[in-house]
């Protein structure tokens, strides 16, 4: 086992102490060290050793004899002390090595380090790369890289062709990496002196150059495929027979590989479509492999923690996927290694839980796999049958084939030392490793040590705990030493690990290194370890030489060897890689040493086999079909250049198979066909692309207006001209020349939002209407006022509103002449030909009440926000949109505008909106905003927030939604530069809101970084968050990060970037606060699953000008960079074509992609650079044309030339895509499930699957793929439920805030109550056995507070609380304190005053209709609410309420609009002589009051909840004498009468009563008899009364005695 580099940076000093122990069979010597080596190696095929210490000294081994034993000392070589910085062996000449220093004098040896000579270079060694490059054919030819800092530091390369025996000569200045063509022994075809270099470029567009005469002549390397120069070169390497150049695409930083096997033909390596390398240098690793192919591990798409293993064809030009989810670390090291002695055996580790690692950042669970056919097939490693001491493992070893109980081994990423991990070149069949048996790999210190002697088929445990191990004498001796605990002995075996002997060397050390010669040919081992106890003389470590030369006294003879052959996983000896290989190795049980008598490799005999199916694999873009057991196409076949120029051509294609690279089987008749090309007819996708064209128009267009699902565009200029194109922008017609010749300047254009044919153009004097997409126009007059046209309003208010179903109906908001002007709203049912009536004046906004999804209103209803006082002293323009207390803005519902039934819904209105299925109204009171919502435009509820969140109601932003909820961003900070908010989401009623994202980023105009993915994919949201809100003080900038939700805001995560490793591998994107173009910021409604954005990778969002362009193909789950710098971007043909253009600097070209961004092509559209301001596409699904608006020249100068460029891709793709349901291979489409990798595969109870064009198809869609979407109803999951009343979502669960109203009084034990969940009304899920039903009532312990949030909050009022009541089924409470009414909508957590309800003397709640309440002031206006105080309304009274102590209101138990009201008259003065009550009733809720009685003490409805009286009976207690002051009545008798016709006819029931009362089912009247005795009468229906009777021993007292 060779030792390459030991990176332990400690100092070594020579000490003369020597210890020798002779055991009889094993000898050893030790040397004390003051520190450990940093660079240590053997000269190949020798026992000479060199090492370098960090003090800059180099030591060599010196052998001598003492007591007839050969020992080893360390002697510092004869170079100046403390000068060495590097120690480098010559890779192709075993006698040579080089010591480099920091200066210009260096040293070389040609005799295994025995002697050293100096040589000089003009400048010190380079600090930026490899210094020496060696020639495999001419050992004296060496390149030396230096850094020249005479002026500015640049790298230069010098060369010597005599091994530095002459002065090095300058090769090139300011150059990147250089290497010889013959950098490996396997390379062939190039001249001996061929050198390749990376020529540096100031713009990082480095080129690859070559010379055969030390750059007297220079050749720029070109790609064989397109004969273009290979540019963007960032790396150069030699691997076996290959030279590999790594390039970075100048447009998108995508890494690409170019490979050559002869230095002449350089081919771009082709990877499968789904595999691409990102810009990170650690995103791919070229691994050690056989000479027959390249093996590359590429960071997996969408993962930062695992890779995909690829192997190449024999020429390195194309790669095939070999193994998924390989384990790799942040430095690009991969758990992969080949067996050094047996060809075709590979070991690798995979990340079993890769998805959880990527999604949840959990710890990796690694599993080991082994391949016996050079990576074509992989299997888990079969574990030993038993552990040590014959114990069983803690799992079922019969499950090893699934990996659940297999052997797992530590590899490159976790190895504690360097070199070959498992094997050695001379030890055929021997493999060792540290690992464990189980379901995944344990930590290194928890593992044991394993050995295989049959090439990895079977294994045995050889030691508990991790050990370092080495082979000697070609495997005849195996040594291991504890790698975890301090130790003073080694274990060795001379019988292939069957038995182990202990050898004690007497000093306890912590092992740092166990090594032997690189090929394990000798019987000598070196151990270096730290001492574990204090020693004198500054001894920190020891080196030990363990010598097994005298273990056996004889050398092996022919009969001591056996023939061993490699086998496959089934243990059967078969042909491996097309041949059998037999090795001669020493028998396990013989006692002899091999020594130097047998050359390495020892007795290997190979014999080629006849080819079988196992010797072949599927060729590039073919996959194995397990059903047919054949290789079938999986992508476009690479057509040889020059073929398939036209339809009907043929070409020689692949049979679908290729011989596994390195396989040496013999061709035979059975398999010969797999090696022969197949004549194939060129498919449509193999025909050449068509042409891209463009047209240019020198004009400054200001705005563009697309007719939906059409090719027609209208465009306006700054001068009011209107142009029309009917071919998506290629040709334009100035309508001012014909159709709009009389229009003059066009001021506004409005496209009908429901009809794709209609548009309305406003000139200064007329309305111009088109119903045929602008082919012709009709001239319309505006409504007239005072015989003058009512021109468009000058207040900046909306001019027009369209009806969602009656496409010819219009609302037009004109205006009277300004100044001192106001608006007038008129209605037309014929597109403005005639104007029927005026709807409203002084309006700020008027819309039809019905909307596309808001269908609860009558189609003739209209909402208007307008000023209350139409004759106010200030005109509407003078108010400037600022209502006053004297003239507030009201929301008016005009029901059936033809009948003009008007109702004021709100006063102090700020704004109102109708969106989706909701209507929202914002009102203002004392600087706070109150938001109310409705789903029918009539019944409104004030929104409520969680009681434990204090919401500052100063500003809201209502955000887009189509998923049955309202998204609301509430401002937390409005300080300039420090704006941020909190994002809330409502339940399905739009009333109750839960916090879903805190610290959302917003700006000072109310824009919020919130964006829903466009199109049919619901529930995916991108938002930006301010991550340092606590630091936002003056001068501190916001640190913004981006997050994404795949479940409509329930959970959020950072945006993941492909092929990025490290803690800051997150993507941050600019959104609405920085990008103000119309439409979606990231997505298009037609390009399902595709997103693009501008931003950066890192901890926080950088400024827009420091950004790059990124895209996602999987609805935002993973992102990749597609272009350096910020871009404008657009989608065409439903995403089958994507275009990006530079948004930072002028450019004359664009980039386009036909395969979802996997590759990009450039198209030049102008000779001069254009500063682009807009990139636009039509709204129809199949558009292939893109409009580029921009200018040439400086923007701030008059000579800047504006142009419009239309780029047409219509002819690029040769055919239309085919949808073939019965053949998924032939069909050009595939299914795409945007929720496939999410926690919830369904959304709102449905699983939706879409069609998307396959990535490799060269066809245009030209069809609306949305109609092929399939919907499948899902079983209900937790995502289909929302929180019920009194519950709010916290930490993903619905939690009760406050009191559980279903908890019984004096509760003991358990009670049945709500679960806290209710099904989302829009969810289509099915509650069944497979799903969840979270609505079921649950049993709760009476003392259970686990799911109850106890909140304490104190609010101080200025005076005593005199009244209060709750509204049922709400969280709303009203209190009256100091005659001011206060309201809480969160059960008392927060309180606000109700503006209208000041000076309230009393408030009453209707006991039968709990949502009704009435507020009495000392006025003839009664205030009331019918919606639990969401809105306050008024009704007029005949008189002010009474002050006689009589109940003011009485309520009917059945009819909430039936009221009895008791007022007073003549009571203004305390000295009044006719003060008395007046009783009124209403059955129309105050619209009409009728007097019922005067001088009454009380009147009430006879009916009660338990009294079954007729609903129209009224009882009154009425004074007999109806004169004088009611205040001073003492002897005036009370009559008791009833009426069934509201007082028209009164029936006197009793003439002299004390009073009456309703109790349970009875009406009880107390009558005073003439003899002053009290008599009770009882009725159960209010019409018939019965006299009460008492026991004879009870006598009713006289009233005078009571």
């Amino acid at each position: 086992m060779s030792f390459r580099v030991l990176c332990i940076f400690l100092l070594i000093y020579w000490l003369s102490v020597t210890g020798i122990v002779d055991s009889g069979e094993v000898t050893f010597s030790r040397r004390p060290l003051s520190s450990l080596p940093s660079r240590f190696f053997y000269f190949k095929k020798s026992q000479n050793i060199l090492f370098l210490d960090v003090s800059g000294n180099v030591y060599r081994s010196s052998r001598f004899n003492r007591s007839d034993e050969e020992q080893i000392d360390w002697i510092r070589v004869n170079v100046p002390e403390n000068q060495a910085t590097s120690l480098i062996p010559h890779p192709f000449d075993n006698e040579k090595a080089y010591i480099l220093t920091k200066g210009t004098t260096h040293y070389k040896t040609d005799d295994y380090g025995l002697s050293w000579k100096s040589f000089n270079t003009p400048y010190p060694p380079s600090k930026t790369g490899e210094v020496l490059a060696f020639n495999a054919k001419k050992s004296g030819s060496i390149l030396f890289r230096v850094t020249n800092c005479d002026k500015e530091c640049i790298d230069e390369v010098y060369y010597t062709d005599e091994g530095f025996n002459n002065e090095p000569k300058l090769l090139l200045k300011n150059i990147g990496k250089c290497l010889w063509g013959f950098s490996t022994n396997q390379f062939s075809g190039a001249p001996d002196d061929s050198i390749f270099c990376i020529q540096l470029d100031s713009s990082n567009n480095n080129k690859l150059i070559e010379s055969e005469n030390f750059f007297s002549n220079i050749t720029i390397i070109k790609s064989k495929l397109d004969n273009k120069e290979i540019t963007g070169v960032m790396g150069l390497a030699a691997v076996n027979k290959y030279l590999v150049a790594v390039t970075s695409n100048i447009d998108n930083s995508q890494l690409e590989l170019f490979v050559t096997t002869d230095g002449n033909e350089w081919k771009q390596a082709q990877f499968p479509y789904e595999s691409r390398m990102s810009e990170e240098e650690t995103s791919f690793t070229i691994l050690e492999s056989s000479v027959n192919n390249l093996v590359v591990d590429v960071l997996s798409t969408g993962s930062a923690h695992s890779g995909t293993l690829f192997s190449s064809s024999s020429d390195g030009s194309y790669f095939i996927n070999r193994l998924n989810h390989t384990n790799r670390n942040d430095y690009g090291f991969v758990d992969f290694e080949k067996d050094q002695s047996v060809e075709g055996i590979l070991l690798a580790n995979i990340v079993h839980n890769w998805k959880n690692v990527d999604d949840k950042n959990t710890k990796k669970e690694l599993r080991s796999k082994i391949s016996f056919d050079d990576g074509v097939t992989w299997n888990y490693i079969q574990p030993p049958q038993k552990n040590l001491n014959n114990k069983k493992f803690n799992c079922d070893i019969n499950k090893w084939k699934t990996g659940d109980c297999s052997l797992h081994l530590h590899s490159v990423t976790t190895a504690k030392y360097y070199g070959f991990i498992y094997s050695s070149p001379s030890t055929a069949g021997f493999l060792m490793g540290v690992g464990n048996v189980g379901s995944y790999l344990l930590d290194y210190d928890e593992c044991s040590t394993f050995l295989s002697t049959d090439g990895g088929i079977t294994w045995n445990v050889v030691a508990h705990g991790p050990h370092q191990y080495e082979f000697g004498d070609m495997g005849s001796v195996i040594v291991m030493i504890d790698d975890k605990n301090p130790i003073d002995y080694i274990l060795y075996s001379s019988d292939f690990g069957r038995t182990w002997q202990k050898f004690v060397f007497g000093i306890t050390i912590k092992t740092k290194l166990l090594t032997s010669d690189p090929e394990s040919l000798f019987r000598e081992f070196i151990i270096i370890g730290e001492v574990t106890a204090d020693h004198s003389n500054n001894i920190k470590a020891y080196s030990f030489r363990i010598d097994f030369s005298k273990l056996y006294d004889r050398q092996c003879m022919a009969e001591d060897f056996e023939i061993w052959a490699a086998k496959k996983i089934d243990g059967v000896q078969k042909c491996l890689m097309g041949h059998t290989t037999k090795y001669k190795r020493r028998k396990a049980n013989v006692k002899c040493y091999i020594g130097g008598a047998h050359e390495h490799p020892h007795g290997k005999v190979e014999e080629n086999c006849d080819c079988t199916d196992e010797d072949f694999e599927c060729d590039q873009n073919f996959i194995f079909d397990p059903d047919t057991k054949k290789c079938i196409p999986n992508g476009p076949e690479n057509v040889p250049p020059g073929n398939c120029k036209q339809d009907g051509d043929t070409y020689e294609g692949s049979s679908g198979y290729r011989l596994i690279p390195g396989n040496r089987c013999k061709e035979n008749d059975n398999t010969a066909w797999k090696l022969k090309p197949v004549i194939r007819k060129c498919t449509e996708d193999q025909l050449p692309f068509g042409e891209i064209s463009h047209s240019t128009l020198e004009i400054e267009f200001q705005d563009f207006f697309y007719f939906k699902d059409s090719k027609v565009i209208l465009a306006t200029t700054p001068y009011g001209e209107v142009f029309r194109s009917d071919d998506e922008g290629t040709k334009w017609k100035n309508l001012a020349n014909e159709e709009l010749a009389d229009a003059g300047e066009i001021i506004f254009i409005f496209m009908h939002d429901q009809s794709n044919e209609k548009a309305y153009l406003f000139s200064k004097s007329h309305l111009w209407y088109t119903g045929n997409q602008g082919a012709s126009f009709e001239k319309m007059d505006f409504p007239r006022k005072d015989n003058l046209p009512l021109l468009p309003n000058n207040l900046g208010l909306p001019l027009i509103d369209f009806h969602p179903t009656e496409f010819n109906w219009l609302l037009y908001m004109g205006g009277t002449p300004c100044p001192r002007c106001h608006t007038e709203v008129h209605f037309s049912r014929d597109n403005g030909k005639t104007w029927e009536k005026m709807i409203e004046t002084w309006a700020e906004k008027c819309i039809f009440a019905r909307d596309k999804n808001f269908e609860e209103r009558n189609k003739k209803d209209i909402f208007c926000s307008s000023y209350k006082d139409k004759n106010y002293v200030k005109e509407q323009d003078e108010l400037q949109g600022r209502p006053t207390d004297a003239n507030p803005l009201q929301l008016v519902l005009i029901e059936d505008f033809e009948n003009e039934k008007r109702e004021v819904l709100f006063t102090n209105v700020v704004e109102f909106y109708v969106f989706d299925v909701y209507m929202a109204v914002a009102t203002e009171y004392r600087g706070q905003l109150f938001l109310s919502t409705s789903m029918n435009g009539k019944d409104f509820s004030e929104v409520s927030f969680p009681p434990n969140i204090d919401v500052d109601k100063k500003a809201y932003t209502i955000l887009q939604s189509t998923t049955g909820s309202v998204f609301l961003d509430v401002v937390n900070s409005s300080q300039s530069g420090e704006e941020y908010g909190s994002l809330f989401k409502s339940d399905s009623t739009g009333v109750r809101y839960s916090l879903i994202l805190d610290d959302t980023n917003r700006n000072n105009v109310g824009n919020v970084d919130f964006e829903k993915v466009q199109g049919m994919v619901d529930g995916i949201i991108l938002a930006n968050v301010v991550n340092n809100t606590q630091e936002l003080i003056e001068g501190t900038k916001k640190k913004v990060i981006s997050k994404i939700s795949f479940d409509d805001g329930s959970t959020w995560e950072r945006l993941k970037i492909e092929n990025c490793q490290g803690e800051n591998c997150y993507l941050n994107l600019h959104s609405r606060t920085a990008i103000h173009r119309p439409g979606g910021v990231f997505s298009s409604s037609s390009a399902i699953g595709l997103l693009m954005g501008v931003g950066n990778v890192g901890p926080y969002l950088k400024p827009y000008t420091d950004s790059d362009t990124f895209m996602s193909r999987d609805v935002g789950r993973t992102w990749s960079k597609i272009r350096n710098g910020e871009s404008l971007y657009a989608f065409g043909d439903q995403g089958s074509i994507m275009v990006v253009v530079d948004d930072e600097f002028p450019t004359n070209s664009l980039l386009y992609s036909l395969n979802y961004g996997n590759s990009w092509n450039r198209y030049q559209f102008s000779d001069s650079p254009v500063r682009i301001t807009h990139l636009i596409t039509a709204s129809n699904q199949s558009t292939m044309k893109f409009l580029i608006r921009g200018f040439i020249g400086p923007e701030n100068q008059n000579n800047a030339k504006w142009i419009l460029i239309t780029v047409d891709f219509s002819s690029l793709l040769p055919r239309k895509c085919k949808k073939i349901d019965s053949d998924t291979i032939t069909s050009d489409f595939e299914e795409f499930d945007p929720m496939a990798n999410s926690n919830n595969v369904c959304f709102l109870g449905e699983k939706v699957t879409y069609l998307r064009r396959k990535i490799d198809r060269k066809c245009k869609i030209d069809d609306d793929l949305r109609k092929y979407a399939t919907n499948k109803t899902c079983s209900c999951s937790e995502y289909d439920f929302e929180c019920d009343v009194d519950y709010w979502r916290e930490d993903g669960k619905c939690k009760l805030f406050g009191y559980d109203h279903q908890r019984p009084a004096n509760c003991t034990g358990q009670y049945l109550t709500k679960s806290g969940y209710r099904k989302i009304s829009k969810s289509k899920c099915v509650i069944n056995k497979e799903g969840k039903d979270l609505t079921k009532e649950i049993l709760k312990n009476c003392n259970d507070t686990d799911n109850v949030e106890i909140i304490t909050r104190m609010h101080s009022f200025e005076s005593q609380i005199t009244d209060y009541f709750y509204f049922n089924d709400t969280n709303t409470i009203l209190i009256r304190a100091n005659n001011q009414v206060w309201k809480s909508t969160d059960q008392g957590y927060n309180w606000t005053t109700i503006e209208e309800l000041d000076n309230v003397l009393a408030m009453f709640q209707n006991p039968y209709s709990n949502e009704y309440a009435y507020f009495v002031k000392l006025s003839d206006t009664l205030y009331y609410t019918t919606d639990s105080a969401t809105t306050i309304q008024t009704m007029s009274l005949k008189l002010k309420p009474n002050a006689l102590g009589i109940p003011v209101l009485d309520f009917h138990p059945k009819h909430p609009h039936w009221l009895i009201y008791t007022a007073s008259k003549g009571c203004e003065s305390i000295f009044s002589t006719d003060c008395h009550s007046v009783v009124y009733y209403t059955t129309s809720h105050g619209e009409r009051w009728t007097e019922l009685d005067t001088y009454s003490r009380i009147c009430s409805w006879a009916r009660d909840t338990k009294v079954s009286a007729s609903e129209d009976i009224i009882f009154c207690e009425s004074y007999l004498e109806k004169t004088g002051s009611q205040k001073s009545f003492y002897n005036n008798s009370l009559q008791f009468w009833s009426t069934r016709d509201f007082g028209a006819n009164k029936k006197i029931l009793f003439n002299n009563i004390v009073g009456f009362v309703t109790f349970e089912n009875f009406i009880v009247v107390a009558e005073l008899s003439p003899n002053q005795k009290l008599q009770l009468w009882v009725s159960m229906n209010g019409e018939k009364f019965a006299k009460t009777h008492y026991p004879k021993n009870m006598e009713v007292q006289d009233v005078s005695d009571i």
Side-chain angles (χ1 to χ4, degrees), residues 28 481-482 485-491 502-511 532 544:
F28 89 102
I481 187 169
D482 196 308
N485 303 303
I487 196 75
D488 65 351
Y489 64 89
I490 63 169
L491 295 173
K502 179 188 291 187
F503 176 77
V504 180
F505 46 77
I507 294 179
T508 302
I509 61 169
K510 182 69 174 69
T511 308
T532 58
F544 299 86

Side-chain angles (χ1 to χ4, degrees), residues 167-446:
E167 182 179 348
K169 301 174 184 178
L170 178 65
L171 184 71
L172 290 170
K173 290 186 175 183
N174 194 24
I175 197 70
K177 183 176 181 177
C178 292
L179 51 76
W180 299 93
F182 279 98
S183 289
T184 66
N185 285 317
Q186 296 83 11
F187 190 80
S188 62
D192 292 355
D193 290 330
S194 176
I195 301 174
F196 294 86
C197 292
I198 301 175
Q199 185 180 60
L200 301 180
D201 181 86
S202 58
S203 61
N204 292 324
N205 194 21
N206 306 333
K207 296 180 180 180
L208 182 62
I209 58 175
E210 185 264 349
S211 178
E212 300 170 10
N213 54 13
F214 302 104
F215 288 96
S216 295
N217 301 102
I218 297 176
T219 300
I220 299 178
I221 300 299
K222 297 181 179 180
S223 169
K224 180 184 177 183
L225 179 64
D226 53 15
N227 201 35
K228 292 183 179 180
E229 295 178 355
I230 298 176
T231 59
V233 183
M234 54 187 298
L236 189 60
V239 183
N240 293 329
K241 66 178 182 180
Y242 307 96
L243 289 181
V244 181
V246 183
T247 68
S248 176
N249 189 296
I250 190 173
D251 293 317
N252 57 18
S253 299
Q254 187 75 38
L255 293 189
E256 298 168 344
L257 297 185
F258 288 84
V259 183
T260 183
T261 55
D262 59 8
N264 183 32
E265 291 187 353
W266 288 79
K267 301 176 181 179
Q268 183 177 348
Q270 301 296 319
F271 286 83
Y273 265 108
E274 67 274 10
S275 304
R276 300 170 302 113
M277 292 183 288
S278 74
E279 62 184 300
E280 300 294 330
E281 292 187 48
T282 56
S283 68
F284 76 98
T285 305
I286 300 176
L287 300 167
E288 182 186 18
S289 58
S290 69
V291 298
N292 304 299
N293 62 349
L294 277 170
V295 176
V296 176
D297 191 84
V298 179
L299 193 65
S300 294
T301 300
S303 173
H305 307 280
S306 62
T308 303
L309 193 71
F310 296 90
S311 70
S312 75
S313 55
S314 59
D315 64 355
S317 62
Y318 66 88
F319 284 78
I320 289 178
N321 185 335
R322 290 301 193 197
L323 186 63
N324 292 323
H325 314 307
T326 49
N327 184 49
R328 52 188 294 129
N329 64 14
D330 293 346
Y331 303 101
F333 295 138
V334 181
D335 279 350
F336 170 89
E337 187 162 39
K338 72 172 187 174
D339 188 325
Q340 300 300 314
S341 62
V342 180
E343 184 181 4
I345 298 177
L346 309 175
L347 293 97
N349 285 345
I350 62 169
V351 182
H352 174 63
N353 63 332
W354 60 273
K355 187 170 186 348
N356 286 336
V357 172
D358 290 330
D359 293 346
K360 303 176 183 178
N361 202 26
T362 56
K363 184 179 179 180
K364 291 181 179 179
E365 295 179 358
L366 303 184
R367 289 183 172 182
S368 297
K369 284 193 165 187
I370 191 168
S371 173
F372 298 95
D373 52 10
D374 214 30
V376 177
T377 59
W378 292 84
N379 299 277
Y380 290 108
I381 303 176
Q382 183 175 357
Q385 290 296 312
K386 295 288 180 66
N387 205 333
L388 283 181
N389 303 323
N390 212 31
K391 293 183 178 179
K392 293 184 177 180
F393 293 104
N394 294 325
C395 59
D396 184 357
I397 61 173
N398 294 319
K399 297 182 178 179
W400 71 269
K401 291 185 178 181
T402 64
D404 294 328
C405 190
S406 58
L407 176 60
H408 312 291
L409 299 172
H410 281 272
S411 185
V412 176
T413 62
T414 51
K416 290 193 174 183
Y417 53 92
Y418 290 81
F420 301 129
I421 303 296
Y422 305 119
S423 60
S424 182
S426 68
T427 56
F430 285 76
L431 295 167
M432 282 192 85
V434 173
N436 63 280
V437 174
S439 59
Y440 59 88
L441 183 63
L442 300 177
D443 290 340
Y444 186 83
D445 287 347
E446 299 178 51

Side-chain angles (χ1 to χ4, degrees), residues 481-499:
I481 187 169
D482 196 308
D483 198 24
K484 176 182 178 183
N485 303 303
I487 196 75
D488 65 351
Y489 64 89
I490 63 169
L491 295 173
Y492 70 91
S493 174
S494 60
D495 57 3
F496 293 8
R498 296 172 184 174
T499 61

Side-chain angles (χ1 to χ4, degrees), residues 1508-1552:
S1508 58
S1510 176
E1511 66 179 22
D1512 56 358
I1513 296 178
I1514 299 174
F1515 290 139
C1516 278
E1517 297 178 5
S1518 183
Y1519 287 101
L1520 186 62
E1521 301 292 337
K1522 298 189 182 294
T1523 58
S1525 174
Q1526 193 170 331
K1527 291 181 179 180
S1528 58
F1529 285 170
Y1530 294 105
N1531 296 312
N1532 196 349
S1533 299
L1534 275 174
Q1535 288 184 325
F1536 184 67
W1537 56 261
S1538 68
T1539 178
R1540 295 195 62 171
D1541 52 12
F1542 303 107
N1545 294 287
K1546 299 176 181 178
K1547 180 180 180 182
I1548 298 174
L1549 302 175
F1550 302 95
N1551 279 314
N1552 191 9

